């Protein structure tokens, strides 16, 4: 990225980003410097990629012309702690309108791949068309700038996500990797394939500790292009820490913003896994396909109850002091660290255990690990399988797939395996399609085609306005538990004024767990790039990017009927929840009208 | 006495991203009551309608966790830190 002296948010053309266009069919590769058009372009991530996607006419996510955009944020690869994220954007095979058109989507991941990518001297790769043979893209820094080469990748086929990364490490030193697993190779039957991103810990330890760009099937799009891996090979580049940057990083690693994700011995609360306890107090932990039973039998999976049964180690992506990865190892007889099992985060843990009726932590670890190795999004995979189990409990005489039911670990593992290998398209194409096919969509936990994360739709009427997955792109998913407010005005404001603010870090390249406040964000941008941006300009850019996401949905055929919740919320409220069942059809209809009343004029004025 | 109050992201976002504030009070509870009097938009999040502290929040007094309201009556010395964070965050 080139930033000329005097560049500011009001003169984005003074910032040029380096894009590489790759035609996978013809093998054409060209680099270009592109002047930014607005602050969203400068910030990067989906703020930039969605503007490009808006110019495309795509009716099939697996059509060769669907561009796969891989880009970074302004802070990616900088010395701002957690500036690690890379973004994969495309029209999604999973997020579809009721008209059947694919919607624009992005998925972000950390690890070290994003830094190496940036350090090669490039800001964005745009892959178009489809290679006739499996290939990998080798991105390198060179004396005269970055280079990119397409190389055969036949030898990687059939390897799981971790095996691919370790195989590539032997071939390419000083590099990091983005790969698909077997699920991505079988994209036609697995629409929720993820992209695995290597971490330094993974390459050093040899353990399967990838990070993931999981949501929306970006790994499936990558597979559809016969693009098996991207290698970013560059020397590490560290700048000199200014006093302001040092203070900023100290606040990120030790301040109040990231405290939730730090270890208890470091004054934290122990990570997202610790969401279990407070949610269970309100019976809001998804169980048996998002239907809490108000039983107290799920405590076996609480972190405090596993401290003496496993070796739990807090680890990190790269140069991050938060150490949010809660990695589970076996506990040796002498109390030392044994074999690596899996990483326990709230989402994959819940959706691949409690929500499937599995309460044994060892079984949970096996399911999480296998889903990762096959290269699937644990949220989509888990929420689709929970539908299958629910369906089977309702139709014991005519069950789906292998007839698995809640708690049947062996059969659930078989479902995971068959799905990830591409042998179970019924499941692999996501819960919306499956439920429509079975003509029982009411308890399919999806909104706009994307499976729900591990927060009940009964508590979040904001889900339909999330533009890239239910929780990370619309921060309304915990508000009921936190604030307990069920008034109409409150929820309209929560959606139109608060929830979308989390999108900032889907552009900048910083991690959402860093707890970067608005002021800190300005400091980070200034210190990392020299760019002067004020708060008003930054907030306006975030809002424009959000609105653009909604406009793009309309472009792909989203209509009033797409903006809704699973019918079960309205038709069969769960009396077990300790929160109020306030989302009646009348409430939701009125709220939706009021939300659009606020947003639509701004969408039209974009 | 003035304590330094540190607010986690969920609370800070409600008052424009302010994470650290100096608030007067003789006890932890008094500091928090004064905080919600100064920033009234925090009151519904800090306190339940019954007057108890929101059980979803975790309060640290000089890095010691105050659980289920026990310790809210602890005396505050000048320079003490009271951190208020949500026990629910992230995904």
């Amino acid at each position: 990225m080139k930033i000329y002296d005097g560049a500011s948010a009001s003169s984005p053309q003074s910032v040029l980003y380096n894009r590489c266009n790759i035609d996978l069919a013809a093998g054409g590769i060209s680099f270009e410097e592109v002047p930014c058009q607005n602050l969203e372009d400068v910030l990067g991530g989906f703020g930039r990629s969605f503007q490009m996607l808006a110019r495309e006419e795509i009716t099939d996510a697996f059509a060769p012309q669907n561009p796969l955009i891989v880009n970074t944020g302004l802070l990616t690869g900088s010395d701002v702690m957690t500036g690690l994220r890379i973004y994969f954007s495309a029209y999604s095979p999973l997020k579809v309108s009721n008209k059947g058109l694919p919607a624009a989507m992005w998925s972000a991941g950390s690890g070290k791949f994003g830094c190496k990518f940036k350090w090669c001297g490039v800001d964005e790769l745009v892959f178009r068309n489809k290679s006739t043979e499996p290939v990998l893209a080798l991105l390198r820094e060179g004396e005269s700038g970055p280079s990119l080469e397409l190389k055969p990748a036949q030898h990687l086929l059939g390897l799981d996500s971790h095996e691919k990364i370790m195989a590539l490490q032997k071939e390419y030193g000083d590099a990091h990797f983005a790969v698909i697993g077997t699920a991505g190779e079988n994209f036609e039957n697995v629409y929720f394939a993820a992209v695995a991103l290597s971490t330094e810990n993974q390459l050093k330890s040899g353990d399967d500790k990838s990070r993931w760009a999981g949501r929306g099937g970006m790994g499936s799009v990558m597979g559809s292009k016969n693009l098996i891996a991207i290698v970013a090979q560059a020397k590490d580049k560290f700048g000199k820490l200014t006093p302001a940057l040092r203070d900023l990083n100290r606040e990120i690693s030790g301040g109040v913003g990231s405290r939730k994700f730090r270890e208890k011995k470091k004054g934290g609360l122990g990570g997202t896994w610790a969401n279990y306890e407070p949610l269970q107090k309100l019976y809001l932990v998804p169980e048996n396909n998002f239907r809490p039973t108000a039983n107290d039998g799920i405590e076996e999976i609480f972190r405090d109850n596993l401290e003496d049964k496993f070796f739990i180690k807090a680890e990190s992506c790269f140069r991050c002091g938060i150490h949010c990865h809660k990695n589970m190892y076996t506990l040796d007889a002498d109390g030392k660290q044994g074999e690596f099992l899996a990483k326990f985060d709230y989402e994959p843990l819940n959706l691949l255990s409690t929500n499937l009726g599995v309460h044994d932590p060892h079984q949970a670890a096996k399911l999480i690990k296998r889903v990762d190795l096959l290269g699937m999004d644990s949220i989509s995979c888990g929420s689709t399988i929970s539908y299958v189990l629910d369906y089977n409990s309702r139709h014991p005489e005519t069950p789906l797939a292998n007839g698995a039911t809640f708690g049947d670990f062996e059969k659930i593992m078989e479902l995971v395996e068959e799905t990830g290998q591409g042998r179970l398209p019924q499941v692999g194409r996501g819960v919306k399609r499956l439920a429509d096919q079975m003509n029982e969509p009411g308890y399919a936990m999806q909104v706009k085609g994307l499976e729900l994360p591990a927060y009940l739709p009964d508590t979040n009427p904001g889900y339909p306005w999330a533009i890239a997955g239910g929780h990370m792109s619309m921060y309304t998913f915990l508000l009921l538990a936190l604030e307990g407010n069920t008034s109409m005005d409150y929820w309209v404001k929560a959606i139109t004024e608060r929830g979308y603010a989390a999108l900032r870090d889907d552009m900048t390249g910083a991690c959402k767990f860093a707890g970067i406040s608005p002021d800190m964000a300005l400091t980070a941008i200034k210190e990392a790039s020299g760019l002067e941006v004020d708060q008003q300009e930054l907030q306006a850019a975030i809002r424009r990017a959000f609105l653009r996401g909604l406009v793009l949905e309309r472009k792909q055929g989203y209509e009033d009927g797409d903006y809704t919740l699973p019918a079960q919320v309205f038709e069969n409220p769960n009396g077990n929840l300790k929160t109020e069942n306030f989302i009646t059809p009348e409430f939701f209809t009125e709220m939706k009208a009021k939300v659009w009343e606020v947003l639509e004029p701004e969408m039209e004025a974009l | 006495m003035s304590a330094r109050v540190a607010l986690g992201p969920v609370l800070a976002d409600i008052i424009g991203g302010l994470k650290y504030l100096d608030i007067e009070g003789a006890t932890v509870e008094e500091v928090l009551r004064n905080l919600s009097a100064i920033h009234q938009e925090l009151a519904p999040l800090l306190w339940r309608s019954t007057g108890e502290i929101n059980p979803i929040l975790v309060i640290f007094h000089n890095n010691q966790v105050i659980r289920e309201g026990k310790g809210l009556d602890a005396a505050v010395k000048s320079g003490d830190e009271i951190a208020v964070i949500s026990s629910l965050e992230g995904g």
Side-chain angles (χ1 to χ4, degrees):
Chain A
M1 189 165 252
K2 269 187 195 160
I3 301 174
Y4 289 106
D5 286 348
S8 68
S10 56
S11 60
Q13 294 83 359
S14 302
V15 180
L16 280 72
Y17 63 92
N18 197 358
R19 175 195 287 162
C20 178
N21 298 293
I22 305 109
D23 181 339
L24 287 163
I29 294 162
S30 63
F31 286 86
E32 60 178 331
E33 288 192 326
V34 186
C36 293
Q37 298 302 310
N38 48 38
L39 184 54
E40 300 90 290
D41 264 353
V42 176
L43 295 173
F46 96 98
R48 188 191 304 145
S49 66
F50 265 36
Q51 296 187 74
M52 178 186 278
L53 290 175
R55 295 191 287 271
E56 305 286 335
E57 296 299 328
I58 304 295
T59 56
D60 173 4
F62 296 142
Q65 58 268 35
N66 184 15
L68 174 65
I69 303 165
V70 186
N71 68 12
T72 52
L74 189 61
L75 304 180
T76 307
S78 74
D79 292 305
V80 173
M81 187 179 285
T82 79
L84 305 170
R85 295 177 104 201
I86 186 137
Y87 306 90
F88 292 75
S89 308
Y91 282 92
S92 162
L94 207 57
K95 184 183 172 190
V96 291
S97 62
N98 286 335
K99 286 186 173 171
L101 292 170
M105 182 70 195
W106 79 89
S107 190
S110 293
K112 195 176 174 182
F113 175 76
C115 293
K116 286 288 193 184
F117 181 103
K118 189 75 161 276
W119 294 337
C120 285
V122 73
D123 301 294
E124 188 164 278
L125 305 180
V126 181
F127 293 97
R128 289 180 189 274
N129 298 323
K130 175 180 181 169
S131 172
T132 51
E133 298 297 326
V135 290
L136 64 85
L138 172 59
L139 177 64
R140 285 171 154 147
E141 70 172 335
E143 283 180 14
S144 55
S147 67
L148 192 137
E149 195 182 342
L150 297 174
K151 297 178 75 76
Q154 188 76 36
H155 61 298
L156 298 175
L157 294 185
L159 301 179
D160 68 38
S161 61
H162 177 62
E163 289 168 341
K164 282 190 177 82
I165 285 172
M166 298 315 287
L168 287 167
Q169 189 193 18
K170 287 181 185 161
E171 293 179 55
Y172 301 101
D174 217 1
H176 271 263
F177 315 98
V179 306
I180 55 172
T182 37
E185 292 175 26
N186 292 289
F187 67 93
E188 284 164 319
N189 291 334
V190 193
Y191 290 1
F192 45 69
V195 182
L197 305 164
S198 58
T199 64
E200 194 147 90
N201 187 333
Q202 178 179 23
L203 299 188
K204 284 182 180 167
S205 68
D207 292 331
D208 47 312
K209 294 172 178 167
S210 300
R211 300 302 298 132
W212 298 91
R215 305 244 55 198
M218 294 300 105
S220 306
V221 174
M222 198 165 148
S224 77
K225 297 189 172 304
N226 237 341
L227 177 64
I228 310 302
I230 306 170
V231 177
Q233 192 175 40
K235 288 193 174 72
D236 286 1
K237 292 175 179 58
F238 305 131
K240 193 177 174 187
L241 285 181
T242 62
L245 202 45
R246 195 174 295 120
D247 288 347
L248 181 75
N249 286 346
R250 196 175 291 134
E251 178 63 24
I252 291 171
S253 66
V256 70
S258 63
R259 200 160 185 166
K260 159 78 181 172
F261 309 105
R262 300 202 303 270
E263 285 296 273
K264 285 185 179 174
K265 63 188 174 195
K266 290 193 173 180
L269 292 183
T272 61
W273 184 2
N275 279 353
Y276 255 97
E277 290 91 331
L279 285 175
Q280 177 62 1
K281 280 183 189 167
L282 299 168
Y283 292 139
L284 297 182
V285 175
E287 268 183 274
N288 297 0
N289 197 29
F290 294 77
R291 198 76 182 166
T293 57
N295 78 55
D296 295 321
I298 67 170
E299 282 78 359
E300 197 179 344
I301 214 111
F302 286 8
R303 178 167 174 166
D304 283 350
N305 296 332
L306 298 184
E307 295 282 358
D308 59 349
K309 297 182 180 71
F310 295 85
F311 190 94
I312 304 170
K313 191 173 179 184
E315 297 179 293
S316 62
C317 287
F318 174 60
R319 291 209 303 169
C320 176
I322 301 170
H323 294 100
C324 76
H325 305 185
K326 308 310 175 194
N327 286 331
M328 307 290 286
Y329 296 82
T330 56
L331 188 63
D332 282 355
D334 57 1
K336 290 188 178 161
Q337 175 182 328
E339 179 195 352
F340 174 67
L341 298 173
K343 175 169 166 279
F344 272 18
D345 275 324
Y346 175 69
E347 295 292 336
L349 179 60
N350 174 265
L351 295 174
L352 292 171
S353 67
T354 320
N355 197 42
L356 303 180
V358 172
H359 305 297
D360 177 332
H362 292 91
Q363 293 179 343
K366 285 178 185 169
L367 287 166
I368 292 168
K369 188 183 194 80
R370 197 63 199 139
V371 168
D372 280 356
L373 291 175
L374 290 163
M376 293 187 283
D377 175 33
S378 52
I379 294 177
S380 287
C381 182
S383 293
T384 305
I385 288 180
S386 69
Y387 176 87
V388 173
L389 307 186
D390 200 347
Y391 183 93
N392 289 350
S393 71
R394 295 166 192 246
H395 302 279
E397 304 303 320
T398 53
L400 279 167
N402 62 359
T405 51
F406 289 114
D408 185 344
F409 168 73
E410 297 297 336
K411 283 194 172 177
I412 291 169
M413 181 60 98
E414 188 180 59
L415 285 179
V416 165
E417 189 67 33
E418 292 297 295
T419 302
Q421 298 286 357
R423 294 192 288 260
L424 200 52
Q426 230 178 357
V427 176
R429 290 175 182 166
V431 77
K432 177 177 166 62
R433 286 177 176 86
L434 175 58
D436 286 346
Q437 188 187 331
M438 304 318 295
N439 204 27
E440 292 190 19
Y443 55 96
M445 292 298 139
Q446 59 84 28
V447 170
K448 298 194 290 194
L450 281 177
E451 289 75 14
L452 294 185
Y455 302 95
L456 301 178
D458 316 63
T459 64
N460 180 19
Y463 269 141
W465 288 273
I467 58 173
H471 66 323
M472 289 290 111
S473 62
M474 173 54 71
Y475 266 31
T476 52
F477 58 99
L478 287 168
L479 289 182
L480 185 69
L482 273 166
E483 301 180 14
N485 197 322
T486 59
S487 77
M488 180 66 65
D489 282 353
Y490 171 89
W491 278 98
V492 172
K493 282 186 179 168
I495 294 164
T496 60
E497 295 178 14
R498 292 172 67 181
Y500 73 90
L503 294 172
R504 182 194 67 200
D505 299 330
D506 291 299
M507 296 190 274
T508 62
C511 176
K512 296 189 186 207
F513 291 0
I516 294 175
S517 68
D519 286 348
M520 287 165 70
L522 299 186
T523 305
I525 290 168
K526 167 77 178 161
E527 293 299 316
S529 67
L531 204 64
E532 296 275 4
V533 179
D534 69 32
Q535 202 55 255
Q536 202 176 353
E537 291 165 334
L538 182 59
Q539 296 308 319
I542 299 167
R543 191 160 181 90
R544 282 194 303 270
F546 167 58
L547 294 167
R548 199 174 285 123
L550 293 172
V551 170
L552 253 171
E553 288 179 352
R554 296 274 173 98
K555 177 175 178 286
Q556 296 305 104
Y558 277 80
E559 296 175 329
D560 186 68
D562 290 275
Y563 294 88
T564 188
L565 294 167
Q568 180 177 271
V569 174
F570 307 120
E571 295 167 0
N572 188 15
N574 186 349
N576 292 325
L577 313 185
K578 288 189 180 175
T579 48
E580 185 185 342
N581 281 314
F582 71 106
I583 312 175
T584 62
E586 295 75 22
F587 177 94
F588 188 78
T589 302
E590 187 182 340
M591 189 200 78
K592 179 157 64 171
K594 288 177 185 287
V595 167
W596 287 130
E597 219 170 88
V598 175
L599 298 177
E600 276 179 339
E602 293 182 59
M603 289 161 64
E604 283 159 18
L606 266 182
Chain B
M1 296 296 165
S2 177
R4 187 186 194 226
V5 177
L7 299 177
V10 172
L11 292 102
D13 286 351
I14 293 174
I15 55 171
L18 278 177
K19 289 166 79 171
Y20 298 103
L21 307 95
D22 291 321
I23 305 288
E24 297 285 329
T27 65
V28 174
E29 178 163 356
E30 199 174 304
V31 169
L32 296 177
R33 297 273 177 206
N34 288 340
L35 169 69
S36 53
I38 296 165
H39 294 283
Q40 292 178 16
E41 55 273 49
L42 287 175
L45 179 50
L46 278 169
W47 309 102
R48 288 297 190 224
S49 54
T50 51
E52 294 155 341
I53 194 84
N54 182 347
I56 301 294
L57 300 177
V58 180
I59 317 290
F60 292 86
H61 181 199
N62 292 335
N63 283 327
Q64 296 297 310
V65 179
I66 293 174
R67 287 201 183 280
E68 294 169 358
K70 290 170 189 160
L72 282 175
D73 57 353
V76 168
K77 296 193 296 295
S78 200
D80 279 6
E81 185 184 91
I82 297 168
V84 187
I85 64 174
S86 167
S87 61
L88 285 170
E89 268 189 55

